[in-house]
Amino acid sequence: MKTTLSVIKADIGSLAGHHVVHPDTIAAANKILAEAKRNNIIIDYYITYVGDDLQLIMTHNRGELDMKVHETAWNAFKEATRIAKELGLYAAGQDLLSDSFSGNLRGMGPGIAEIEFEERPSEPVVIFMADKTEPGAYNLPLYKIFADPFNTAGLIIDPMMHEGYKFEVLDVYEGESITLNTPEESYDLLALIGTPSRYIVRRVYRKHDNLQAAVVSVERLNLIAGKYVGKDDPVMIIRAQHGLPALGEILEAFTIPYLVPGWMRGSHYGPLMPVSQKDARATRFDGPPRLIGLGFNIKNGKLVGPTDLFDDPAFDEVRRTAQLITDYIRRHGPFMPHRLEPQEMEYTTLPLVIEKLKGRFKKESDVYKAKHSIYSHEGSQE
Ligand SMILES: O=C(COP(=O)(O)O)[C@@H](O)[C@H](O)[C@H](O)COP(=O)(O)O
């Protein structure tokens, strides 16, 4: 029988601002998941958080997008929201865009990463969870892990990996997807995923046997809601070892605190800082964007672990570099390239401010007029 690993997350309200999940809301979600386990809807579960996002990690045999599993997650988020409201936590129920559950959670606000597989004799998985950024933030490490031999030695050395991997990329503006093969189509792949706000790596497969190796939650909240409702704060599952990238090759991709969009008001680029669970809280300028990584083994659907992967001095220098980048880029204040580009600011509250100034602009010669508005997607470079 196949096992499904479902990681479903939502911001249902947090303590002292968009900062950290409150333990009482975790306890509320725990009651619902414990009951689902007793009723054999799920086999096992683990609940955690990164910043203000509540993370439900569940195993079962029901496949992806299963109604009962998704309803369980929905009920857990609803119950946690009820407690968040009782405690007066900030932005209670923020990511629950709908009032009632209908079939599965797609398009309802929570982020979803699910993967169904035949368990190998030993099944190591890594779950990454980020706060104050968006799904395209995983494009860069996924490329490094599955396509860059300077990161992943196994691409050269291990015959099971040597043929390469297939990347399924979603265009979130057009609602289309494309699958590209590496290494032969690497440049085409990079041409797309170098624009991570639009082209998001959703799944990765090993080429020679189609084994699925990775999945990302691709929901972009603001595109779904049509307005700013917080950042998507994506999760990613990667299967490791024995013909897949080794744990250390997966973690190697996070040794540079690369710049991601998000941070304060979802409107700024900042370094993605890998931290331990105890530091998974947004502080400086509501950030900097944080990433945690938990490692598990899955045996007959049971979750063995976790191990807190960035709780390690080997990542101290990465964090220090992230602080230096933070200091440097913060000095740009409201100026690009710290602040996001206009197309992305469209989903924040900035257009309301600009709208107010509209009547005060005076007509000038057409020489100064561009063919397209910078706030319109039409005719843009993307
Ligand atoms: O990005 C943020 C929240 O995103 P998140 O909830 O983590 O998805 C924060 O920086 C807020 O935008 C900021 O704290 C202002 O919040 P409000 O006062 O507008 O709620």
PDB file of all heavy atoms in Angstrom, residues 9 11 14 17-19 51-53 90-91 94-95 131-133 221 228-233 262-267 282 285-287 349, ligand 1:
ATOM      1  N   LYS A   9      -0.477  23.863   5.773  1.00  0.00           N
ATOM      2  CA  LYS A   9      -0.167  24.951   6.715  1.00  0.00           C
ATOM      3  C   LYS A   9      -1.091  26.140   6.508  1.00  0.00           C
ATOM      4  O   LYS A   9      -1.621  26.354   5.400  1.00  0.00           O
ATOM      5  CB  LYS A   9       1.304  25.383   6.580  1.00  0.00           C
ATOM      6  CG  LYS A   9       1.830  25.623   5.220  1.00  0.00           C
ATOM      7  CD  LYS A   9       1.784  26.980   4.629  1.00  0.00           C
ATOM      8  CE  LYS A   9       1.642  28.164   5.507  1.00  0.00           C
ATOM      9  NZ  LYS A   9       1.371  29.387   4.672  1.00  0.00           N
ATOM     10  N   ASP A  11      -1.779  30.346   8.352  1.00  0.00           N
ATOM     11  CA  ASP A  11      -1.616  31.363   9.398  1.00  0.00           C
ATOM     12  C   ASP A  11      -3.002  31.603   9.970  1.00  0.00           C
ATOM     13  O   ASP A  11      -3.868  32.167   9.296  1.00  0.00           O
ATOM     14  CB  ASP A  11      -1.029  32.626   8.760  1.00  0.00           C
ATOM     15  CG  ASP A  11      -0.837  33.742   9.766  1.00  0.00           C
ATOM     16  OD1 ASP A  11      -1.370  33.649  10.889  1.00  0.00           O
ATOM     17  OD2 ASP A  11      -0.145  34.720   9.418  1.00  0.00           O
ATOM     18  N   SER A  14      -1.524  34.898  15.421  1.00  0.00           N
ATOM     19  CA  SER A  14      -0.274  34.707  16.159  1.00  0.00           C
ATOM     20  C   SER A  14      -0.105  35.747  17.254  1.00  0.00           C
ATOM     21  O   SER A  14      -0.886  36.688  17.377  1.00  0.00           O
ATOM     22  CB  SER A  14       0.899  34.745  15.180  1.00  0.00           C
ATOM     23  OG  SER A  14       0.847  35.917  14.418  1.00  0.00           O
ATOM     24  N   GLY A  17       1.688  40.259  17.072  1.00  0.00           N
ATOM     25  CA  GLY A  17       1.900  40.633  15.670  1.00  0.00           C
ATOM     26  C   GLY A  17       2.068  39.383  14.834  1.00  0.00           C
ATOM     27  O   GLY A  17       1.736  38.279  15.263  1.00  0.00           O
ATOM     28  N   HIS A  18       2.618  39.549  13.620  1.00  0.00           N
ATOM     29  CA  HIS A  18       2.821  38.391  12.727  1.00  0.00           C
ATOM     30  C   HIS A  18       4.111  37.679  13.127  1.00  0.00           C
ATOM     31  O   HIS A  18       5.028  37.544  12.324  1.00  0.00           O
ATOM     32  CB  HIS A  18       2.906  38.851  11.272  1.00  0.00           C
ATOM     33  CG  HIS A  18       1.664  39.476  10.745  1.00  0.00           C
ATOM     34  ND1 HIS A  18       0.634  38.761  10.174  1.00  0.00           N
ATOM     35  CD2 HIS A  18       1.248  40.773  10.700  1.00  0.00           C
ATOM     36  CE1 HIS A  18      -0.333  39.559   9.792  1.00  0.00           C
ATOM     37  NE2 HIS A  18       0.020  40.803  10.103  1.00  0.00           N
ATOM     38  N   HIS A  19       4.177  37.221  14.373  1.00  0.00           N
ATOM     39  CA  HIS A  19       5.458  36.853  14.961  1.00  0.00           C
ATOM     40  C   HIS A  19       5.604  35.353  15.186  1.00  0.00           C
ATOM     41  O   HIS A  19       6.455  34.707  14.583  1.00  0.00           O
ATOM     42  CB  HIS A  19       5.586  37.645  16.273  1.00  0.00           C
ATOM     43  CG  HIS A  19       6.679  37.235  17.171  1.00  0.00           C
ATOM     44  ND1 HIS A  19       7.998  37.233  16.776  1.00  0.00           N
ATOM     45  CD2 HIS A  19       6.674  36.829  18.471  1.00  0.00           C
ATOM     46  CE1 HIS A  19       8.743  36.834  17.813  1.00  0.00           C
ATOM     47  NE2 HIS A  19       7.962  36.568  18.829  1.00  0.00           N
ATOM     48  N   GLY A  51       7.406  30.868  12.498  1.00  0.00           N
ATOM     49  CA  GLY A  51       6.814  32.200  12.643  1.00  0.00           C
ATOM     50  C   GLY A  51       5.345  32.081  12.986  1.00  0.00           C
ATOM     51  O   GLY A  51       4.961  31.351  13.909  1.00  0.00           O
ATOM     52  N   ASP A  52       4.499  32.743  12.190  1.00  0.00           N
ATOM     53  CA  ASP A  52       3.066  32.749  12.494  1.00  0.00           C
ATOM     54  C   ASP A  52       2.293  31.682  11.721  1.00  0.00           C
ATOM     55  O   ASP A  52       1.067  31.765  11.603  1.00  0.00           O
ATOM     56  CB  ASP A  52       2.470  34.145  12.219  1.00  0.00           C
ATOM     57  CG  ASP A  52       2.762  34.642  10.820  1.00  0.00           C
ATOM     58  OD1 ASP A  52       3.361  33.896  10.021  1.00  0.00           O
ATOM     59  OD2 ASP A  52       2.389  35.790  10.507  1.00  0.00           O
ATOM     60  N   ASP A  53       2.993  30.684  11.200  1.00  0.00           N
ATOM     61  CA  ASP A  53       2.320  29.634  10.422  1.00  0.00           C
ATOM     62  C   ASP A  53       2.267  28.311  11.161  1.00  0.00           C
ATOM     63  O   ASP A  53       3.301  27.774  11.583  1.00  0.00           O
ATOM     64  CB  ASP A  53       3.038  29.447   9.077  1.00  0.00           C
ATOM     65  CG  ASP A  53       2.771  30.611   8.169  1.00  0.00           C
ATOM     66  OD1 ASP A  53       1.666  30.683   7.632  1.00  0.00           O
ATOM     67  OD2 ASP A  53       3.667  31.472   8.031  1.00  0.00           O
ATOM     68  N   TYR A  90      -3.266  38.057  17.040  1.00  0.00           N
ATOM     69  CA  TYR A  90      -3.296  38.946  15.893  1.00  0.00           C
ATOM     70  C   TYR A  90      -3.636  38.189  14.605  1.00  0.00           C
ATOM     71  O   TYR A  90      -3.136  37.094  14.364  1.00  0.00           O
ATOM     72  CB  TYR A  90      -1.959  39.692  15.739  1.00  0.00           C
ATOM     73  CG  TYR A  90      -2.128  40.852  14.799  1.00  0.00           C
ATOM     74  CD1 TYR A  90      -2.969  41.916  15.137  1.00  0.00           C
ATOM     75  CD2 TYR A  90      -1.521  40.851  13.551  1.00  0.00           C
ATOM     76  CE1 TYR A  90      -3.185  42.958  14.263  1.00  0.00           C
ATOM     77  CE2 TYR A  90      -1.723  41.895  12.667  1.00  0.00           C
ATOM     78  CZ  TYR A  90      -2.563  42.949  13.024  1.00  0.00           C
ATOM     79  OH  TYR A  90      -2.789  43.967  12.142  1.00  0.00           O
ATOM     80  N   ALA A  91      -4.459  38.812  13.767  1.00  0.00           N
ATOM     81  CA  ALA A  91      -4.846  38.277  12.448  1.00  0.00           C
ATOM     82  C   ALA A  91      -5.424  36.861  12.547  1.00  0.00           C
ATOM     83  O   ALA A  91      -5.085  35.976  11.748  1.00  0.00           O
ATOM     84  CB  ALA A  91      -3.658  38.315  11.489  1.00  0.00           C
ATOM     85  N   GLN A  94      -6.436  34.455   9.526  1.00  0.00           N
ATOM     86  CA  GLN A  94      -5.978  35.190   8.341  1.00  0.00           C
ATOM     87  C   GLN A  94      -6.008  34.405   7.026  1.00  0.00           C
ATOM     88  O   GLN A  94      -6.484  34.891   6.005  1.00  0.00           O
ATOM     89  CB  GLN A  94      -4.544  35.696   8.580  1.00  0.00           C
ATOM     90  CG  GLN A  94      -3.908  36.330   7.345  1.00  0.00           C
ATOM     91  CD  GLN A  94      -2.457  36.725   7.569  1.00  0.00           C
ATOM     92  OE1 GLN A  94      -2.193  37.759   8.169  1.00  0.00           O
ATOM     93  NE2 GLN A  94      -1.519  35.922   7.090  1.00  0.00           N
ATOM     94  N   ASP A  95      -5.481  33.176   7.035  1.00  0.00           N
ATOM     95  CA  ASP A  95      -5.333  32.448   5.759  1.00  0.00           C
ATOM     96  C   ASP A  95      -6.560  31.634   5.371  1.00  0.00           C
ATOM     97  O   ASP A  95      -6.552  30.971   4.336  1.00  0.00           O
ATOM     98  CB  ASP A  95      -4.129  31.490   5.830  1.00  0.00           C
ATOM     99  CG  ASP A  95      -2.798  32.219   5.768  1.00  0.00           C
ATOM    100  OD1 ASP A  95      -2.811  33.464   5.660  1.00  0.00           O
ATOM    101  OD2 ASP A  95      -1.752  31.553   5.817  1.00  0.00           O
ATOM    102  N   ASP A 131       8.842  31.152   6.527  1.00  0.00           N
ATOM    103  CA  ASP A 131       7.923  32.246   6.873  1.00  0.00           C
ATOM    104  C   ASP A 131       8.423  33.540   6.251  1.00  0.00           C
ATOM    105  O   ASP A 131       9.629  33.782   6.162  1.00  0.00           O
ATOM    106  CB  ASP A 131       7.824  32.409   8.403  1.00  0.00           C
ATOM    107  CG  ASP A 131       6.752  33.434   8.778  1.00  0.00           C
ATOM    108  OD1 ASP A 131       5.763  33.571   8.021  1.00  0.00           O
ATOM    109  OD2 ASP A 131       6.900  34.101   9.822  1.00  0.00           O
ATOM    110  N   LYS A 132       7.467  34.373   5.823  1.00  0.00           N
ATOM    111  CA  LYS A 132       7.703  35.691   5.219  1.00  0.00           C
ATOM    112  C   LYS A 132       8.353  35.593   3.845  1.00  0.00           C
ATOM    113  O   LYS A 132       9.227  36.380   3.477  1.00  0.00           O
ATOM    114  CB  LYS A 132       8.558  36.580   6.149  1.00  0.00           C
ATOM    115  CG  LYS A 132       7.969  36.778   7.540  1.00  0.00           C
ATOM    116  CD  LYS A 132       6.720  37.635   7.552  1.00  0.00           C
ATOM    117  CE  LYS A 132       6.237  37.872   8.969  1.00  0.00           C
ATOM    118  NZ  LYS A 132       5.393  36.787   9.514  1.00  0.00           N
ATOM    119  N   THR A 133       7.892  34.599   3.080  1.00  0.00           N
ATOM    120  CA  THR A 133       8.300  34.548   1.672  1.00  0.00           C
ATOM    121  C   THR A 133       7.271  33.754   0.873  1.00  0.00           C
ATOM    122  O   THR A 133       6.195  33.433   1.380  1.00  0.00           O
ATOM    123  CB  THR A 133       9.732  33.999   1.507  1.00  0.00           C
ATOM    124  OG1 THR A 133      10.115  34.158   0.137  1.00  0.00           O
ATOM    125  CG2 THR A 133       9.835  32.529   1.902  1.00  0.00           C
ATOM    126  N   LEU A 221      -1.268  33.117  -2.144  1.00  0.00           N
ATOM    127  CA  LEU A 221      -2.451  33.658  -1.474  1.00  0.00           C
ATOM    128  C   LEU A 221      -3.011  34.916  -2.129  1.00  0.00           C
ATOM    129  O   LEU A 221      -4.215  35.039  -2.323  1.00  0.00           O
ATOM    130  CB  LEU A 221      -2.062  34.043  -0.043  1.00  0.00           C
ATOM    131  CG  LEU A 221      -2.355  33.079   1.091  1.00  0.00           C
ATOM    132  CD1 LEU A 221      -1.949  33.711   2.402  1.00  0.00           C
ATOM    133  CD2 LEU A 221      -3.834  32.731   1.092  1.00  0.00           C
ATOM    134  N   TYR A 228      -3.829  41.735  -0.907  1.00  0.00           N
ATOM    135  CA  TYR A 228      -2.802  41.306   0.037  1.00  0.00           C
ATOM    136  C   TYR A 228      -3.430  40.709   1.291  1.00  0.00           C
ATOM    137  O   TYR A 228      -4.213  41.354   1.974  1.00  0.00           O
ATOM    138  CB  TYR A 228      -1.899  42.491   0.424  1.00  0.00           C
ATOM    139  CG  TYR A 228      -0.782  42.044   1.336  1.00  0.00           C
ATOM    140  CD1 TYR A 228       0.196  41.180   0.869  1.00  0.00           C
ATOM    141  CD2 TYR A 228      -0.732  42.444   2.668  1.00  0.00           C
ATOM    142  CE1 TYR A 228       1.204  40.731   1.700  1.00  0.00           C
ATOM    143  CE2 TYR A 228       0.279  42.005   3.509  1.00  0.00           C
ATOM    144  CZ  TYR A 228       1.243  41.150   3.014  1.00  0.00           C
ATOM    145  OH  TYR A 228       2.234  40.694   3.840  1.00  0.00           O
ATOM    146  N   VAL A 229      -3.089  39.424   1.539  1.00  0.00           N
ATOM    147  CA  VAL A 229      -3.566  38.789   2.784  1.00  0.00           C
ATOM    148  C   VAL A 229      -2.411  38.059   3.456  1.00  0.00           C
ATOM    149  O   VAL A 229      -2.553  36.940   3.906  1.00  0.00           O
ATOM    150  CB  VAL A 229      -4.716  37.781   2.538  1.00  0.00           C
ATOM    151  CG1 VAL A 229      -6.053  38.450   2.445  1.00  0.00           C
ATOM    152  CG2 VAL A 229      -4.447  36.917   1.315  1.00  0.00           C
ATOM    153  N   GLY A 230      -1.248  38.671   3.477  1.00  0.00           N
ATOM    154  CA  GLY A 230      -0.081  38.009   4.066  1.00  0.00           C
ATOM    155  C   GLY A 230       0.653  37.217   2.992  1.00  0.00           C
ATOM    156  O   GLY A 230       0.168  37.091   1.867  1.00  0.00           O
ATOM    157  N   LYS A 231       1.812  36.713   3.361  1.00  0.00           N
ATOM    158  CA  LYS A 231       2.613  35.969   2.381  1.00  0.00           C
ATOM    159  C   LYS A 231       2.241  34.490   2.405  1.00  0.00           C
ATOM    160  O   LYS A 231       1.628  34.002   3.349  1.00  0.00           O
ATOM    161  CB  LYS A 231       4.093  36.143   2.687  1.00  0.00           C
ATOM    162  CG  LYS A 231       4.749  37.255   1.866  1.00  0.00           C
ATOM    163  CD  LYS A 231       4.545  37.060   0.380  1.00  0.00           C
ATOM    164  CE  LYS A 231       5.353  38.051  -0.433  1.00  0.00           C
ATOM    165  NZ  LYS A 231       4.759  38.334  -1.750  1.00  0.00           N
ATOM    166  N   ASP A 232       2.671  33.783   1.368  1.00  0.00           N
ATOM    167  CA  ASP A 232       2.261  32.389   1.200  1.00  0.00           C
ATOM    168  C   ASP A 232       3.022  31.451   2.141  1.00  0.00           C
ATOM    169  O   ASP A 232       2.508  30.424   2.542  1.00  0.00           O
ATOM    170  CB  ASP A 232       2.513  31.961  -0.247  1.00  0.00           C
ATOM    171  CG  ASP A 232       2.211  33.102  -1.183  1.00  0.00           C
ATOM    172  OD1 ASP A 232       1.051  33.471  -1.264  1.00  0.00           O
ATOM    173  OD2 ASP A 232       3.158  33.657  -1.785  1.00  0.00           O
ATOM    174  N   ASP A 233       4.270  31.816   2.452  1.00  0.00           N
ATOM    175  CA  ASP A 233       5.053  31.076   3.438  1.00  0.00           C
ATOM    176  C   ASP A 233       5.050  29.573   3.121  1.00  0.00           C
ATOM    177  O   ASP A 233       4.405  28.770   3.806  1.00  0.00           O
ATOM    178  CB  ASP A 233       4.508  31.353   4.849  1.00  0.00           C
ATOM    179  CG  ASP A 233       4.478  32.850   5.129  1.00  0.00           C
ATOM    180  OD1 ASP A 233       5.346  33.561   4.592  1.00  0.00           O
ATOM    181  OD2 ASP A 233       3.583  33.306   5.843  1.00  0.00           O
ATOM    182  N   GLY A 262       9.322  39.043   0.146  1.00  0.00           N
ATOM    183  CA  GLY A 262       8.446  38.796   1.300  1.00  0.00           C
ATOM    184  C   GLY A 262       8.738  39.806   2.387  1.00  0.00           C
ATOM    185  O   GLY A 262       8.529  41.001   2.225  1.00  0.00           O
ATOM    186  N   TRP A 263       9.229  39.267   3.513  1.00  0.00           N
ATOM    187  CA  TRP A 263       9.669  40.078   4.662  1.00  0.00           C
ATOM    188  C   TRP A 263       8.578  41.082   5.062  1.00  0.00           C
ATOM    189  O   TRP A 263       7.401  40.762   5.029  1.00  0.00           O
ATOM    190  CB  TRP A 263      10.994  40.767   4.297  1.00  0.00           C
ATOM    191  CG  TRP A 263      11.893  41.068   5.470  1.00  0.00           C
ATOM    192  CD1 TRP A 263      11.591  41.003   6.788  1.00  0.00           C
ATOM    193  CD2 TRP A 263      13.261  41.500   5.381  1.00  0.00           C
ATOM    194  NE1 TRP A 263      12.683  41.367   7.539  1.00  0.00           N
ATOM    195  CE2 TRP A 263      13.714  41.681   6.720  1.00  0.00           C
ATOM    196  CE3 TRP A 263      14.137  41.756   4.349  1.00  0.00           C
ATOM    197  CZ2 TRP A 263      15.012  42.114   7.018  1.00  0.00           C
ATOM    198  CZ3 TRP A 263      15.421  42.183   4.640  1.00  0.00           C
ATOM    199  CH2 TRP A 263      15.861  42.357   5.959  1.00  0.00           C
ATOM    200  N   MET A 264       8.997  42.298   5.448  1.00  0.00           N
ATOM    201  CA  MET A 264       8.010  43.266   5.956  1.00  0.00           C
ATOM    202  C   MET A 264       6.912  43.554   4.922  1.00  0.00           C
ATOM    203  O   MET A 264       7.198  43.888   3.783  1.00  0.00           O
ATOM    204  CB  MET A 264       8.734  44.572   6.327  1.00  0.00           C
ATOM    205  CG  MET A 264       7.819  45.702   6.763  1.00  0.00           C
ATOM    206  SD  MET A 264       6.741  45.278   8.148  1.00  0.00           S
ATOM    207  CE  MET A 264       7.862  45.366   9.535  1.00  0.00           C
ATOM    208  N   ARG A 265       5.680  43.393   5.324  1.00  0.00           N
ATOM    209  CA  ARG A 265       4.486  43.691   4.521  1.00  0.00           C
ATOM    210  C   ARG A 265       4.498  42.958   3.178  1.00  0.00           C
ATOM    211  O   ARG A 265       3.913  43.416   2.199  1.00  0.00           O
ATOM    212  CB  ARG A 265       4.321  45.204   4.318  1.00  0.00           C
ATOM    213  CG  ARG A 265       4.090  45.900   5.644  1.00  0.00           C
ATOM    214  CD  ARG A 265       3.972  47.397   5.572  1.00  0.00           C
ATOM    215  NE  ARG A 265       3.964  47.929   6.940  1.00  0.00           N
ATOM    216  CZ  ARG A 265       2.882  48.012   7.706  1.00  0.00           C
ATOM    217  NH1 ARG A 265       1.717  47.666   7.233  1.00  0.00           N
ATOM    218  NH2 ARG A 265       2.975  48.466   8.932  1.00  0.00           N
ATOM    219  N   GLY A 266       5.204  41.842   3.125  1.00  0.00           N
ATOM    220  CA  GLY A 266       5.279  41.061   1.887  1.00  0.00           C
ATOM    221  C   GLY A 266       5.864  41.864   0.749  1.00  0.00           C
ATOM    222  O   GLY A 266       5.634  41.553  -0.427  1.00  0.00           O
ATOM    223  N   SER A 267       6.653  42.888   1.036  1.00  0.00           N
ATOM    224  CA  SER A 267       7.010  43.878   0.021  1.00  0.00           C
ATOM    225  C   SER A 267       8.509  44.093  -0.161  1.00  0.00           C
ATOM    226  O   SER A 267       8.909  45.028  -0.849  1.00  0.00           O
ATOM    227  CB  SER A 267       6.422  45.245   0.409  1.00  0.00           C
ATOM    228  OG  SER A 267       5.057  45.126   0.661  1.00  0.00           O
ATOM    229  N   ALA A 282       9.534  35.514  13.569  1.00  0.00           N
ATOM    230  CA  ALA A 282       9.873  36.712  12.810  1.00  0.00           C
ATOM    231  C   ALA A 282      10.073  37.871  13.778  1.00  0.00           C
ATOM    232  O   ALA A 282       9.188  38.147  14.590  1.00  0.00           O
ATOM    233  CB  ALA A 282       8.748  37.025  11.844  1.00  0.00           C
ATOM    234  N   PHE A 285      12.318  43.700  11.493  1.00  0.00           N
ATOM    235  CA  PHE A 285      11.585  44.119  10.291  1.00  0.00           C
ATOM    236  C   PHE A 285      10.638  42.979   9.861  1.00  0.00           C
ATOM    237  O   PHE A 285      10.500  42.672   8.694  1.00  0.00           O
ATOM    238  CB  PHE A 285      12.581  44.474   9.187  1.00  0.00           C
ATOM    239  CG  PHE A 285      12.044  45.409   8.121  1.00  0.00           C
ATOM    240  CD1 PHE A 285      11.469  46.624   8.445  1.00  0.00           C
ATOM    241  CD2 PHE A 285      12.155  45.068   6.787  1.00  0.00           C
ATOM    242  CE1 PHE A 285      10.999  47.468   7.449  1.00  0.00           C
ATOM    243  CE2 PHE A 285      11.690  45.915   5.778  1.00  0.00           C
ATOM    244  CZ  PHE A 285      11.108  47.124   6.116  1.00  0.00           C
ATOM    245  N   ASP A 286      10.045  42.339  10.853  1.00  0.00           N
ATOM    246  CA  ASP A 286       9.180  41.156  10.635  1.00  0.00           C
ATOM    247  C   ASP A 286       9.944  40.031   9.925  1.00  0.00           C
ATOM    248  O   ASP A 286       9.388  39.327   9.071  1.00  0.00           O
ATOM    249  CB  ASP A 286       7.914  41.503   9.849  1.00  0.00           C
ATOM    250  CG  ASP A 286       6.861  42.196  10.709  1.00  0.00           C
ATOM    251  OD1 ASP A 286       7.108  42.389  11.919  1.00  0.00           O
ATOM    252  OD2 ASP A 286       5.798  42.526  10.174  1.00  0.00           O
ATOM    253  N   GLY A 287      11.161  39.847  10.249  1.00  0.00           N
ATOM    254  CA  GLY A 287      11.939  38.797   9.588  1.00  0.00           C
ATOM    255  C   GLY A 287      13.250  38.604  10.302  1.00  0.00           C
ATOM    256  O   GLY A 287      13.278  38.648  11.530  1.00  0.00           O
ATOM    257  N   THR A 349      -0.763  46.993  -0.289  1.00  0.00           N
ATOM    258  CA  THR A 349      -1.641  48.165  -0.119  1.00  0.00           C
ATOM    259  C   THR A 349      -1.064  49.420  -0.778  1.00  0.00           C
ATOM    260  O   THR A 349      -1.691  50.478  -0.745  1.00  0.00           O
ATOM    261  CB  THR A 349      -1.861  48.419   1.392  1.00  0.00           C
ATOM    262  OG1 THR A 349      -0.621  48.213   2.072  1.00  0.00           O
ATOM    263  CG2 THR A 349      -2.887  47.454   1.967  1.00  0.00           C
TER     264      THR A 349
HETATM  265  O1  LIG B   1       4.369  40.230   6.059  1.00  0.00           O
HETATM  266  C1  LIG B   1       3.710  40.301   7.059  1.00  0.00           C
HETATM  267  C2  LIG B   1       2.691  39.294   7.376  1.00  0.00           C
HETATM  268  O2  LIG B   1       2.814  38.179   6.540  1.00  0.00           O
HETATM  269  P1  LIG B   1       2.411  36.738   7.070  1.00  0.00           P
HETATM  270  O3  LIG B   1       1.212  36.923   7.930  1.00  0.00           O
HETATM  271  O4  LIG B   1       3.577  36.184   7.810  1.00  0.00           O
HETATM  272  O5  LIG B   1       2.098  35.959   5.849  1.00  0.00           O
HETATM  273  C3  LIG B   1       3.901  41.402   8.027  1.00  0.00           C
HETATM  274  O6  LIG B   1       5.122  42.040   7.753  1.00  0.00           O
HETATM  275  C4  LIG B   1       2.739  42.398   7.976  1.00  0.00           C
HETATM  276  O7  LIG B   1       2.449  42.788   6.669  1.00  0.00           O
HETATM  277  C5  LIG B   1       3.045  43.643   8.845  1.00  0.00           C
HETATM  278  O8  LIG B   1       3.325  43.248  10.175  1.00  0.00           O
HETATM  279  C6  LIG B   1       1.843  44.607   8.879  1.00  0.00           C
HETATM  280  O9  LIG B   1       0.722  43.902   9.292  1.00  0.00           O
HETATM  281  P2  LIG B   1      -0.690  44.609   9.509  1.00  0.00           P
HETATM  282  O10 LIG B   1      -0.536  45.565  10.641  1.00  0.00           O
HETATM  283  O11 LIG B   1      -1.061  45.271   8.219  1.00  0.00           O
HETATM  284  O12 LIG B   1      -1.593  43.463   9.849  1.00  0.00           O
END
